[in-house]
Amino acid sequence: MNLLNYITWNVDPEIFSIGPLSIRWYGLLFALGFIIGQRILTKIYVAEGRTEGDVDVITIYMIIGTVVGARLGHTLFYSPEYYLSNPVEILKIWEGGLASHGATIGILFALWLFSRKQKFDYMWVLDRIVIVVALGGALIRLGNLMNSEIIGHQTTVPWAFMFERLGENPTVPRHPTQLYESLSVFMLFVLLYWLWNKYRSALPKGLLFGIFVTALFTFRFFVEFLKEDQVAKEATMALNIGQILSIPLILIGLFILFKVWQNPHPALPGGKPKERSKV
């Protein structure tokens, strides 16, 4: 293999630090997902007759659901023996360990609570939220790249990355699986936003959510074949944990799309009456 056929990656995960305070790329990109997502969701909600206040409330639910779900997902799906024996370690989010499948479950539960409390149509909420979740997912995978984590198998493709911060020598360029996922989810964001922007009043109930779940986790299932194992026990498994967790979500997405095909009618947002603007 020509050793020049790779990209050297040696980005410092830390942007800067002031005393004990450290600002890292992952945290910045994670936060940007919520900040930009809130602005986009506000545009969506206002265009469909809802209020900015609704977005403020749903953002709180989303943050809690994402962080709690992602952390519990990592601890229960990947290392349950360790964390159940050391429950205090579950709280140490700053040490890393967030799982996207857990975040998905946490978000679905948090939005169910939001919809029930605020009297929104649950599927209407899901159809709109997946637009910004896709953008957030793309930014988070870029954060993984900045951390030189979730790396791929060795490869000879000319766009391979050699992750110097992992201490590996130039003979082990790897698939930049973080970029594969980030780009694919960003394209999914563009598709979902375009569909909403062009057909918002006629979108069948569940269509955007069904497309998102099916496409996201189908791609996740296949890209896992290019990744290194996340935990040692995956070495003896026919499918890794990420693939096993993706299968039921793919089936849910396909079921939703089947229901859309059977009953292609748009959903109304519901919710409390729109408040009058205060001067």
Side-chain angles (χ1 to χ4, degrees), residues 16-79:
F16 65 87
S17 62
I18 303 176
L21 177 64
S22 173
I23 304 299
R24 300 173 67 89
W25 285 109
Y26 183 90
L28 175 63
L29 290 165
F30 191 95
L32 280 176
F34 282 101
I35 295 170
I36 299 173
Q38 185 180 37
R39 293 182 67 87
I40 294 173
L41 196 63
T42 297
K43 177 180 178 179
I44 292 172
Y45 269 49
V46 171
E48 299 204 41
R50 307 313 308 162
T51 69
E52 293 186 22
D54 293 325
V55 179
D56 293 337
V57 175
I58 199 173
T59 299
I60 296 172
Y61 279 83
M62 280 288 295
I63 293 173
I64 296 174
T66 301
V67 175
V68 174
R71 184 57 175 170
L72 290 180
H74 173 77
T75 59
L76 297 178
F77 297 153
Y78 289 92
S79 303

Side-chain angles (χ1 to χ4, degrees), residues 211-253:
I211 291 173
F212 172 80
V213 174
T214 304
L216 176 68
F217 290 104
T218 297
F219 184 84
R220 174 69 184 272
F221 180 88
F222 287 107
V223 81
E224 289 292 327
F225 287 114
L226 302 178
K227 288 183 183 179
E228 291 290 342
D229 295 332
Q230 298 297 300
V231 289
K233 63 184 177 182
E234 289 182 322
T236 60
M237 300 169 63
L239 298 176
N240 65 29
I241 295 172
Q243 290 172 313
I244 293 171
L245 294 173
S246 293
I247 292 172
L249 291 167
I250 294 170
L251 295 176
I252 290 172

